[in-house]
Amino acid sequence: MAYEFIKTHTEDSKVGVITLDRPKFLNALNTELMIELGQALKAFDADSTIGCIVITGSEKAFAAGADISAMSKFSFSDVYGNDFITKDWEIIRQIRKPVIAAVSGFALGGGCELAMMCDFIIAADNAKFGQPEIKLGIIPGAGGTQRLPRAVGKSKAMDMVLTARMMDAKEAELAGLVSRVVALDQLMSETIAAAMTICSYPQLAVFAAKESVQRAFEGSLSDGMMYERRLFHALFATQDQKEGMQAFLDKRPAKFENK
Ligand code: CAA
């Protein structure tokens, strides 16, 4: 299948690799990209020769977040009415085969959230994670306020979400956000090796293992996600969201008015 914003290939006809490919915009996640990602995930999940899936980006960016240029024009009725994020971003939750995020460079906002939607994260030593949405007058809207505290604990999650600071790969490993950190030039070989190991195990046990760990992690996630999504949508009714996103696009400091 021909895609515009992602590339796909297989390793040894066993591992499906999806590479996010919007380099000019640091793989900013627009709706079209997320639709393609969902299609590729479903295709690999349905392919009986594939045992494990890897999502990766470029050396500079796994993904720098949801596409601010597209979002800056959205109103509350746009995001709430179209259930922005939900229908195109959550296909990954339906995938039964393990999905590994191989992260180098920036994984910010929706990029960090996409990495956290994967079953585990292997990070290159140049990886940087963050939830900087507050600078745009919004909050994380793809599960960040729910998955980040589960991964790194409340204090660090609050620090990240409220100050918008980035976490480097070493801190992310210490905090439990990523399972291992490897040299940048080893990222894909280490990740493919991990994926191949998973492919060598019986698939029904792999499915059962993934489902069981998910149950431990996801209790009451749906309630948390719904709460987060409604607040995320509501922030598109504020003037500060318009100002925060326009200021980013104009490359100037934002002037917030608490409206
Ligand atoms: N959306 C749209 N475009 C983006 C983008 C984004 N999230 N992130 C980067 N870009 C674009 C830039 O606008 C720039 O485009 P131009 O060349 O046309 O100006 C290009 O990608 C390269 O970016 P920079 O010049 O900014 O690169 P840098 O190396 O100086 O900085 C960065 C890198 C720190 C990641 C910076 O780009 C940045 O802060 N990006 C925004 C990060 C962010 O706020 N993410 C959260 C988005 S909101 C969200 O994700 C909501 C949610 O929860 C679902």
Side-chain angles (χ1 to χ4, degrees):
M1 190 158 179
Y3 296 110
E4 191 180 348
F5 299 110
I6 61 169
K7 288 184 178 147
T8 61
H9 73 278
T10 59
E11 294 279 343
D12 205 17
S13 303
K14 287 184 187 152
V15 179
V17 180
I18 302 171
T19 305
L20 309 178
D21 189 32
R22 267 193 100 199
K24 276 191 185 161
F25 302 99
L26 304 182
N27 294 333
L29 305 168
N30 61 11
T31 299
E32 294 78 8
L33 186 155
M34 293 311 291
I35 289 172
E36 290 187 0
L37 176 62
Q39 289 169 341
L41 284 166
K42 278 186 174 171
F44 281 138
D45 209 35
D47 182 341
S48 60
T49 64
I50 297 295
C52 190
I53 302 169
V54 173
I55 301 178
T56 193
S58 69
E59 283 191 8
K60 181 160 186 199
F62 177 75
D67 190 315
I68 301 170
S69 183
M71 280 190 300
S72 64
K73 297 165 200 90
F74 291 165
S75 64
F76 173 76
S77 51
D78 290 329
V79 289
Y80 184 61
N82 293 317
D83 214 3
F84 175 51
I85 300 284
T86 315
K87 65 176 184 292
D88 305 319
W89 286 61
E90 295 192 339
I91 303 289
I92 195 168
R93 298 183 78 194
Q94 302 162 22
I95 303 301
R96 295 194 77 192
K97 290 170 186 167
V99 182
I100 308 174
V103 174
S104 46
F106 295 111
L108 302 179
C112 185
E113 292 169 302
L114 174 61
M116 289 192 288
M117 286 180 213
C118 297
D119 296 311
F120 62 99
I121 303 173
I122 299 181
D125 50 15
N126 75 336
K128 285 193 184 306
F129 298 87
Q131 298 291 163
E133 289 88 344
I134 198 127
K135 286 159 76 176
L136 302 168
I138 55 170
I139 61 171
T145 67
Q146 303 304 300
R147 291 195 180 93
L148 191 61
R150 283 167 168 79
V152 305
K154 176 188 162 194
S155 184
K156 204 173 272 288
M158 283 284 191
D159 181 1
M160 306 282 297
V161 169
L162 291 175
T163 71
R165 79 172 174 88
M166 291 187 216
M167 200 192 265
D168 65 17
K170 197 171 158 208
E171 184 180 1
E173 186 183 26
L174 279 173
L177 178 61
V178 310
S179 68
R180 30 181 142 159
V181 178
V182 300
L184 176 58
D185 61 1
Q186 305 288 307
L187 178 65
M188 287 317 288
S189 56
E190 289 265 352
T191 307
I192 298 299
M196 287 294 190
T197 301
I198 293 168
C199 291
S200 74
Y201 299 132
Q203 192 166 61
L204 296 183
V206 169
F207 284 168
K210 170 168 168 162
E211 282 170 20
S212 292
V213 177
Q214 274 176 333
R215 289 289 81 71
F217 191 72
E218 293 209 348
S220 83
L221 182 65
S222 298
D223 287 346
M225 295 283 291
M226 179 59 78
Y227 192 72
E228 174 195 87
R229 191 66 38 81
R230 293 303 172 235
L231 290 179
F232 174 75
H233 289 163
L235 287 164
F236 282 77
T238 67
Q239 287 180 24
D240 284 343
Q241 173 264 333
K242 300 282 172 300
E243 166 62 11
M245 294 192 181
Q246 195 56 53
F248 175 85
L249 296 175
D250 295 346
K251 300 187 189 298
R252 60 172 172 79
K255 284 200 323 202
F256 293 125
E257 296 190 3
N258 302 330
K259 290 186 197 159

